[in-house]
C-alpha cells in the first residue's frame, strides 16, 4: 500500500491539505465535511486493517486530523465572519460619508443663497462667529457707511466701538 512508501505522514499531509482548502473556500461546514471525508478516506486507503483493527498510533493520527480539521474550519469561519462584519462597517462608513457630503453640499447651497440675498438687498449685513469673535461683513459696510477696507477689524469689538452713541 501507499502507507509503506510514505509511512505515517501521507494520510495526515494529504488530508490536512484537503481540509484547509475546503475550509478556506467554504468555511465551517465544507471544512468539517472535508474532515469527515478525509478521515474515512484515510482509513480506507492507508490502513492495512481497515476500521476494525486500527492501532493506537492510527487512532492518534485520525484524532489529530479531526482536531486539525475542526480547528481549521472554525478559524476560517471566524475569519469569514470578521471579514463580513468589516464589509458591513465599510458600507456603513461609505453611507455616512455620502450623507456628510450631501449635508456639506446643502450647507454650501444654503450659504450661497444667503449671500445672494444679502447682495441683492444692498444692505450692510454681517455674520458674527461667537466662538472665534470674528465678524464677516459684506460690501454694504464699505458702500453704505464708507469705511475703507483696510481699517475694518474682523473682531466684534471693532463694531461695538463704532456704534453711534445715539444707537
Amino acid at each position: 500500500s501507499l502507507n509503506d512508501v510514505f509511512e505515517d505522514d501521507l494520510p495526515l499531509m494529504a488530508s490536512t491539505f484537503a481540509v484547509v482548502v475546503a475550509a478556506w473556500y467554504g468555511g465551517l461546514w465544507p471544512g468539517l465535511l472535508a474532515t469527515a471525508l478525509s478521515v474515512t478516506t484515510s482509513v480506507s486507503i492507508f490502513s492495512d486493517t481497515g476500521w476494525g483493527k486500527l492501532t493506537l498510533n492510527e487512532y492518534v493520527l485520525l484524532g489529530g486530523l479531526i482536531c486539525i480539521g475542526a480547528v481549521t474550519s472554525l478559524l476560517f469561519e471566524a475569519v469569514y465572519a470578521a471579514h463580513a462584519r468589516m464589509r458591513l462597517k465599510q458600507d456603513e462608513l461609505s453611507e455616512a460619508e455620502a450623507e456628510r457630503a450631501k449635508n456639506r453640499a446643502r450647507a454650501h447651497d444654503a450659504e450661497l443663497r444667503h449671500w445672494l440675498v444679502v447682495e441683492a438687498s444692498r444692505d450692510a449685513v454681517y455674520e458674527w462667529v461667537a466662538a472665534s469673535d470674528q465678524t464677516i461683513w459684506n460690501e454694504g459696510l464699505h458702500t453704505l457707511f464708507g469705511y475703507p477696507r483696510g481699517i475694518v477689524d474682523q473682531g466684534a469689538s471693532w463694531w461695538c466701538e463704532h456704534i453711534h452713541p445715539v444707537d
Side-chain angles (χ1 to χ4, degrees):
S1 77
L2 290 176
N3 199 22
D4 297 334
V5 176
F6 292 101
E7 298 183 2
D8 292 336
D9 294 336
L10 181 65
L12 185 60
M13 288 188 308
S15 300
T16 302
F17 178 73
V19 169
V20 168
V21 169
W24 174 264
Y25 285 107
L28 179 64
W29 294 110
L32 293 177
L33 178 63
T35 300
L37 291 174
S38 294
V39 167
T40 304
T41 304
S42 295
V43 170
S44 300
I45 293 175
F46 298 109
S47 175
D48 294 331
T49 59
W51 283 99
K53 297 179 182 175
L54 292 177
T55 66
L56 179 62
N57 190 30
E58 289 171 327
Y59 276 119
V60 169
L61 186 66
L62 291 176
L65 178 60
I66 291 170
C67 289
I68 289 171
V71 169
T72 303
S73 299
L74 288 170
L75 285 175
F76 281 122
E77 184 67 23
V79 167
Y80 282 132
H83 184 68
R85 285 191 306 272
M86 183 182 69
R87 285 176 120 171
L88 283 174
K89 290 293 183 186
Q90 285 176 335
D91 291 345
E92 289 172 7
L93 288 173
S94 295
E95 290 172 7
E97 180 58 35
E99 186 65 28
R100 282 192 295 274
K102 285 179 190 176
N103 289 339
R104 282 192 300 268
R106 280 189 222 124
H108 179 264
D109 291 346
E111 184 177 359
L112 181 61
R113 284 192 303 273
H114 164 75
W115 285 110
L116 287 173
V117 169
V118 165
E119 291 301 317
S121 70
R122 300 189 188 272
D123 286 334
V125 178
Y126 70 95
E127 178 181 350
W128 177 45
V129 182
S132 62
D133 191 36
Q134 182 184 11
T135 308
I136 303 168
W137 287 91
N138 72 337
E139 285 294 311
L141 178 69
H142 310 296
T143 57
L144 291 175
F145 300 122
Y147 289 111
R149 283 181 178 76
I151 68 161
V152 177
D153 183 16
Q154 294 299 313
S157 60
W158 179 88
W159 176 244
C160 292
E161 293 167 3
H162 289 84
I163 294 176
H164 193 274
V166 178
D167 290 337

